[in-house]
Amino acid sequence: MEQGRPRGRQGLGYEVRSHEVFKLNASKFENLDFPQNGDAYNTDVTNAGRRPHQTFRVEMLPASEEIADRLRIAAGTKAVLRFCHRYVDDVPWSTQATYYPAWLADESPRLAEPGDIEEGTTRYLAERGIEQVGYFDEIAARMPTPEEARLLEMGAGVPVLLWTRTGFSTDRPIRCTITTFRGDLNQMNYEIGDLSARSENEPQ
């Protein structure tokens, strides 16, 4: 297949190309109106004709000042960390660290259990009446830490893309997710407003 042409079917948020770059449509990601086969990551990678694989680590730990500020809890208060190491076709693609306040784990106990929540945590919480009604995103880029470079198997000179999403219910924050992407294998875009005039033939 020609270099740079779409390969496989477009998923909810990602589009895989022959050089293995993913286009992440961050405004569609976690949209519960879309049908899913598992969580959004597994759905999109599978729909693109690729093989998803992820490992999990779940633990309770004191919230740092940065995380506590986003979750509106006191620094040092216990939070649940769900850490995913994600692969596409056995290539390290990203790491994702999601923090939940301890009160939320009390109401939704599967958050603190080890292993995957197959339907995805956003959908799991919505089914328990804790709906994410909005989110605030922060995007940044920097050079990786030694640990990030090791986990993502990155060569020298390759930056990471950091995507921090704080999700809100109607009255307070319910989670903070920090996703660290390989800068050479990922792109991000958003769709905002009425795009009916956009040609389907334009580059996606």
Side-chain angles (χ1 to χ4, degrees), residues 71-169:
L71 294 179
R72 296 183 194 164
I73 60 178
T77 300
K78 291 290 186 179
V80 177
L81 167 63
R82 296 183 62 85
F83 183 87
C84 305
H85 191 189
R86 291 176 166 168
Y87 299 76
V88 175
D89 290 342
D90 299 322
V91 177
W93 174 50
S94 68
T95 63
Q96 185 179 85
T98 302
Y99 299 85
Y100 300 91
W103 66 261
L104 187 57
D106 291 339
E107 298 182 17
S108 308
R110 287 176 63 194
L111 288 179
E113 295 176 0
D116 189 14
I117 296 178
E118 184 177 354
E119 68 272 30
T121 54
T122 303
R123 191 176 295 271
Y124 164 62
L125 291 175
E127 291 171 349
R128 295 185 64 83
I130 306 169
E131 183 179 359
Q132 177 178 277
V133 299
Y135 52 78
F136 177 72
D137 282 5
E138 301 163 82
I139 311 295
R142 59 166 169 74
M143 298 309 294
T145 65
E147 177 66 5
E148 290 167 344
R150 182 186 69 82
L151 289 174
L152 297 176
E153 299 181 10
M154 298 170 60
V158 177
V160 292
L161 177 66
L162 299 177
W163 175 28
T164 302
R165 171 169 286 187
T166 305
F168 294 85
S169 67

Side-chain angles (χ1 to χ4, degrees), residues 53-74:
H53 170 66
Q54 53 186 334
T55 62
F56 291 88
R57 183 178 82 248
V58 181
E59 58 183 302
M60 294 285 292
L61 75 177
S64 66
E65 289 189 11
E66 177 185 6
I67 298 301
D69 182 61
R70 287 183 168 86
L71 294 179
R72 296 183 194 164
I73 60 178

